[in-house]
Amino acid sequence: AMTPEDKKAAEEAWEEAHRRGPVALIMYESEGSSPMSPMSFITGIVLDVLIAAIAAFLLSMAAPAIPSFVGRVLFIVLLGFYTAVGSNLMDWNWMNYPLGFSLQLAGDSIVTSLLLGLVLAVIIKPESSVVDESDYEVPV
């Protein structure tokens, strides 16, 4: 139950402390955990499959408008760029993550999307409009 004046003073004190530094972001787990548990790997695989499924679904929707292999790969790579900018670089900007760390994570997203794009572009292609001539009768 702070008064508006007390709240403003507390915010100003916090801003000044933030400017002076140091500033830290600490991840805290009171129970602790295994750094490389099997469950982490299983969760990682499930998340990777989910990401691939989302990308495949988006590419299948866009495929009719993207006839070339390179275009389909680029479509998926741009999804990786979107993720990198929208997540990793936003964390650098708003959460003060080190730029080098954020760029490494962004690079991982982009390289991963390139590899995924190469695979999906082979699998997902626009349907060809093949005309079966037996469907048409030639007038005599």
Side-chain angles (χ1 to χ4, degrees):
M2 295 176 77
T3 66
E5 294 81 20
D6 289 341
K7 186 175 180 180
K8 184 174 182 185
E11 287 175 1
E12 288 173 357
W14 175 82
E15 286 180 22
E16 180 57 32
H18 196 276
R19 282 189 185 93
R20 275 194 321 269
V23 177
L25 177 65
I26 299 172
M27 303 301 167
Y28 175 77
E29 278 188 76
S30 61
E31 303 299 318
S33 65
S34 173
M36 299 296 258
S37 72
M39 195 60 194
S40 293
F41 287 100
I42 292 168
T43 302
I45 289 169
V46 169
L47 292 173
D48 286 339
V49 169
L50 179 61
I51 289 167
I54 292 168
F57 177 72
L58 292 172
L59 182 58
S60 70
M61 289 179 22
I66 311 173
S68 75
F69 175 82
V70 172
R72 293 189 308 274
V73 172
L74 182 59
F75 179 83
I76 300 299
V77 170
L78 289 174
L79 290 176
F81 268 97
Y82 177 84
T83 302
V85 172
S87 179
N88 306 125
L89 296 182
M90 285 294 192
D91 286 344
W92 161 72
N93 182 55
W94 293 108
M95 303 303 292
N96 296 317
Y97 282 19
L99 179 59
F101 175 73
S102 297
L103 289 174
Q104 287 175 347
L105 292 176
D108 181 67
S109 292
I110 293 164
V111 169
T112 301
S113 66
L114 172 63
L115 297 174
L116 179 61
L118 291 168
V119 171
L120 291 180
V122 169
I123 296 169
I124 300 173
K125 301 174 188 170
E127 292 182 21
S128 60
S129 56
V130 176
V131 177
D132 184 1
E133 292 181 20
S134 66
D135 290 340
Y136 299 97
E137 291 183 18
V138 179
V140 189

